[in-house]
Amino acid sequence: MDAKMGRVRSALLAAGRGLVLSVVALAGSITLFVLTVLSIAFIPLGIGLVTTPQVLEAVRKHANQRRLMAITWSNVRIPVPYRPFPKDVRSGFTGQVERTTLMLKDPATWRDIQWLLVDMTAGYTVAVLASALMLYPVEGIVLAAGLWRVYTDDRYWYAFVPVDSQGTALLAAALGVVLFTAGVFLSNPLLRAHFMIARSVLAPTHERELAQRIERLTETRHEAVDTAASELRRIERDLHDGAQARLVAMGMNLGTVEALIEKDPEQAKKLLAMARESSAEALTELRDLVRGIHPPVLAERGLGDAVKALALRLPIPCEVDVELTGRAEAPVESAAYFAVSEALTNAVKHSGAERIWVDLHHGEGALRFSVTDNGKGGATVGAGSGLSGIERRLGTFDGIMAVSSPAGGPTMVTMEIPCELS
């Protein structure tokens, strides 16, 4: 019974999401397609040079939102293939011309435009079907309950059933039950089919994807080297300013004790007590330093327990849901742990949230984890932000990150690292 109710709830959720997608496909994709065509058409007049970058940027945000829905709702990964802008893009009208040229030369831009057409037709149809199979049966039940009497003067059609009496209304209700049963089994596959259609258009070709991965790995290799060098400098600084200074002071105290042990035993005892305290503080600092490099709980008990221990230290309630059947390689676990840690720190410091949820699971050859809070939203990935640091850390392992943070919240940071569990 619980399994059946769970399937019904899952189908109803898929129906609601299908309804959202159908509205977005009509309102968003049609509007953006019209604006894109007009903006590109006005380029020879000069107006399009100003409007095209903004319109195409809106199209990319629309497509990226669909990518986020795909990975969070149906575990369908759609790569982000856009070419980055050069760092020396100029400002003003000349910069607008350059940005327009760069965006129109990007093959991903034309795939986005094609996807808008597909989304408002095939994508819309599949999304509506996923919703209608669960919602349309309600009308059949209502007709059988007596609503059919409203249409006594004119025959009313429920699908292919003409409703003009209580008997035909009961037939409509029976058809509604059949449709609802079909929806229980088909709504989730139809929702996934919607995202698979989007991926078939938005995803780059195999050759382009390989080229992108090479570019990405080259970039992240340099970032990994820079990060490692920065981490070594931090460790050296922490050792020099912390434990090393205390150990030097302790050595000096012990040297003084040797000189005073016979002349002034009381003073020697005080210096020994100070040396003992310094050694305890140095040991604590060394443990903290080691924990910052690779937490012992992570090495001993795995990623799930390490994240749970991390959540217990937060000043606000945090629920952790872990579904892992094994352990990933140590570098992957470490990257995932510190990515979650940084996301939690951002949520505590900046979101104003009252509660945080962490979800951690493995599926389809990837470790997926998300951090969600009920705060004020507005989180962005930008230079110098904690989220950009997470993105760089994940990029080292060919991982990805998606952020959904509308104004007013909630904020969801979804991360993924390709790996296998042992």
Side-chain angles (χ1 to χ4, degrees):
M1 179 61 72
D2 291 341
K4 291 181 179 178
M5 291 303 298
R7 175 173 286 180
V8 171
R9 284 194 295 268
S10 177
L12 287 171
L13 180 61
R17 289 171 171 173
L19 184 62
V20 171
L21 288 170
S22 62
V23 173
V24 171
L26 280 183
S29 295
I30 292 178
T31 302
L32 287 172
F33 180 77
V34 172
L35 290 175
T36 301
V37 171
L38 290 175
S39 185
I40 294 175
F42 287 152
I43 287 178
L45 301 178
I47 301 174
L49 294 173
V50 178
T51 60
T52 298
Q54 281 72 27
V55 172
L56 292 181
E57 191 64 35
V59 171
R60 291 185 175 188
K61 288 182 179 179
H62 182 56
N64 284 336
Q65 184 64 37
R66 195 63 55 87
R67 289 183 173 96
L68 180 62
M69 290 178 177
I71 190 66
T72 55
W73 288 359
S74 295
N75 284 331
V76 175
R77 180 181 175 183
I78 305 176
V80 181
Y82 305 117
R83 293 175 180 173
F85 288 124
K87 295 181 180 180
D88 57 350
V89 174
R90 289 165 287 186
S91 58
F93 183 77
T94 304
Q96 289 290 94
V97 173
E98 191 173 357
R99 286 170 61 87
T100 300
T101 304
L102 290 170
M103 296 182 86
L104 292 179
K105 285 183 176 180
D106 190 346
T109 297
W110 299 102
R111 283 197 297 271
D112 283 353
I113 297 173
Q114 293 172 13
W115 168 72
L116 292 175
L117 275 173
V118 173
D119 191 48
M120 69 177 73
T121 51
Y124 167 78
T125 302
V126 174
V128 164
L129 191 57
S131 176
L133 284 175
M134 298 298 292
L135 301 180
Y136 190 50
V138 176
E139 183 180 353
I141 303 298
V142 173
L143 286 170
L147 184 65
W148 68 271
R149 291 184 173 84
V150 177
Y151 305 102
T152 53
D153 296 335
D154 189 17
R155 178 175 292 177
Y156 181 82
W157 289 86
Y158 178 77
F160 54 82
V161 177
V163 180
D164 54 9
S165 66
Q166 186 62 47
T168 54
L170 290 174
L171 284 177
L175 177 59
V177 172
V178 172
L179 292 175
F180 185 84
T181 304
V184 169
F185 291 94
L186 295 177
S187 287
N188 273 301
L190 285 170
L191 186 70
R192 183 177 178 84
H194 171 90
F195 294 122
M196 295 297 290
I197 291 172
R199 185 172 72 174
S200 68
V201 182
L202 289 174
T205 61
H206 181 65
E207 292 77 9
R208 176 57 188 162
E209 189 171 8
L210 287 177
Q212 271 194 311
R213 292 191 66 182
I214 292 172
E215 292 173 4
R216 179 64 175 162
L217 289 173
T218 302
E219 180 184 348
T220 54
R221 182 188 63 187
H222 294 309
E223 291 177 348
V225 171
D226 293 340
T227 300
S230 176
E231 190 69 9
L232 283 174
R233 288 193 298 270
R234 181 187 68 81
I235 293 171
E236 291 174 354
R237 184 178 64 251
D238 290 347
L239 283 172
H240 182 272
D241 297 340
Q244 179 179 324
R246 295 189 184 280
L247 291 173
V248 169
M250 185 175 66
M252 294 174 63
N253 286 339
L254 290 175
T256 306
V257 168
E258 288 179 345
L260 295 176
I261 193 69
E262 295 180 356
K263 298 179 182 178
D264 192 348
E266 291 299 322
Q267 184 65 23
K269 288 181 180 180
K270 292 180 181 179
L271 291 175
L272 283 173
M274 293 174 60
R276 186 175 64 250
E277 291 178 2
S278 295
S279 67
E281 291 174 354
L283 182 60
T284 301
E285 291 180 355
L286 286 172
R287 285 173 176 167
D288 291 339
L289 184 62
V290 170
R291 189 177 293 111
I293 300 171
H294 194 78
V297 67
L298 180 62
E300 296 169 4
R301 301 179 61 181
L303 181 59
D305 287 338
V307 171
K308 289 179 180 178
L310 190 65
L312 290 174
R313 296 199 297 267
L314 296 179
I316 57 179
C318 179
E319 296 180 16
V320 180
D321 184 20
V322 178
E323 293 183 14
L324 297 177
T325 57
R327 295 191 60 174
E329 295 181 353
V332 172
E333 284 193 335
S334 180
Y337 174 84
F338 285 109
V340 172
S341 176
E342 183 66 32
L344 288 173
T345 300
N346 284 345
V348 171
K349 286 185 177 180
H350 307 298
S351 71
E354 297 177 352
R355 201 165 195 86
I356 301 175
W357 296 265
V358 178
D359 179 70
L360 183 63
H361 67 279
H362 183 274
E364 299 182 1
L367 179 65
R368 296 191 177 96
F369 41 104
S370 63
V371 177
T372 307
D373 67 70
N374 61 353
K376 60 186 179 182
T380 58
V381 181
S385 70
L387 292 176
S388 61
I390 295 175
E391 194 171 39
R392 288 194 301 271
R393 184 186 293 274
L394 298 179
T396 307
F397 298 88
D398 203 18
I400 59 173
M401 179 185 72
V403 180
S404 174
S405 185
T411 295
M412 174 182 284
V413 181
T414 304
M415 296 158 278
E416 178 182 304
I417 302 178
C419 70
E420 296 297 333
L421 301 184
S422 59

